[in-house]
Amino acid sequence: FIGIGLAIRGTRWAWPFYFLSSALYGWLLWEYALYGTAALQLVFIAAAIWGWFGWGPKSIVPSTVSNRTRLILLIGSLAAWLALVPVLAAIGDPAPWPDTFVFVGSVVAQVLMVREYADSWVLWIVVNVVGAVLYATQNLWFTSLFYAVLIIMAVIGFRSWLAKRAPRVTSVSA
């Protein structure tokens, strides 16, 4: 909660909390054989390091991605999701479809967040809804509740980042 609260504010101090929580959740999820989201924690740890140095000591200035980029991300994410489901199923993941969705969606959302795109929060909302249901089906009730709260925090984050967004520069032609 602390890391996400700090990310909503756009401060780099979010990243050490992401690092620590990712290490702890990776261990927990591995114990429950949710290999996709367990491996995802390694991505979050790498993103925490990237974010710490990428955001710098000042507050962020979010922007939004273009419609073309959204389409590319959607197609790429769908392809990655479909490609990874059989891999997780083959290694015994008890819920490969939603686990892979959380994995792929989180990677994309995390990269967008590190790159300071407000769109990351919209994707976090979707991923957290799927995650809350996934963890409830695995009897990980605290984690499911945690993800339900993350949905609310993502809505707040999206609104906050939109308010901080850099103004768009338009050219005026004669």
Side-chain angles (χ1 to χ4, degrees):
F1 291 125
I2 294 169
I4 294 166
L6 292 169
I8 289 169
R9 295 181 55 134
T11 174
R12 76 189 279 189
W13 288 102
W15 298 111
F17 290 96
Y18 277 125
F19 186 95
L20 179 61
S21 65
S22 297
L24 294 173
Y25 260 113
W27 174 57
L28 172 74
L29 294 165
W30 187 265
E31 293 294 318
Y32 278 82
L34 293 169
Y35 302 121
T37 47
L40 175 62
Q41 303 312 304
L42 297 173
V43 173
F44 287 162
I45 289 169
I49 295 166
W50 180 21
W52 174 260
F53 292 103
W55 280 14
K58 299 177 188 165
S59 183
I60 62 161
V61 181
S63 59
T64 55
V65 297
S66 68
N67 287 334
R68 181 177 185 271
T69 301
R70 282 188 187 105
L71 182 60
I72 291 168
L73 289 172
L74 178 64
I75 293 169
S77 297
L78 182 59
W81 182 35
L82 295 174
L84 289 175
V85 165
V87 173
L88 289 186
I91 61 173
D93 190 305
W97 285 96
D99 198 15
T100 304
F101 183 89
V102 170
F103 178 85
V104 172
S106 295
V107 169
V108 174
Q110 194 67 44
V111 169
L112 290 173
M113 179 172 277
V114 171
R115 302 279 319 263
E116 302 179 20
Y117 287 111
D119 309 76
S120 66
W121 293 105
V122 174
L123 188 50
W124 280 126
I125 293 166
V126 175
V127 167
N128 291 335
V129 167
V130 173
V133 173
L134 167 64
Y135 300 127
T137 64
Q138 300 303 308
N139 296 319
L140 291 166
W141 299 110
F142 178 79
T143 301
S144 180
L145 177 62
F146 176 64
Y147 269 66
V149 173
L150 293 181
I151 296 164
I152 297 164
M153 294 182 82
V155 170
I156 294 167
F158 181 60
R159 292 182 60 163
S160 174
W161 279 34
L162 281 181
K164 291 181 183 186
R165 168 177 69 191
R168 291 188 178 191
V169 177
T170 58
S171 60
V172 179
S173 54

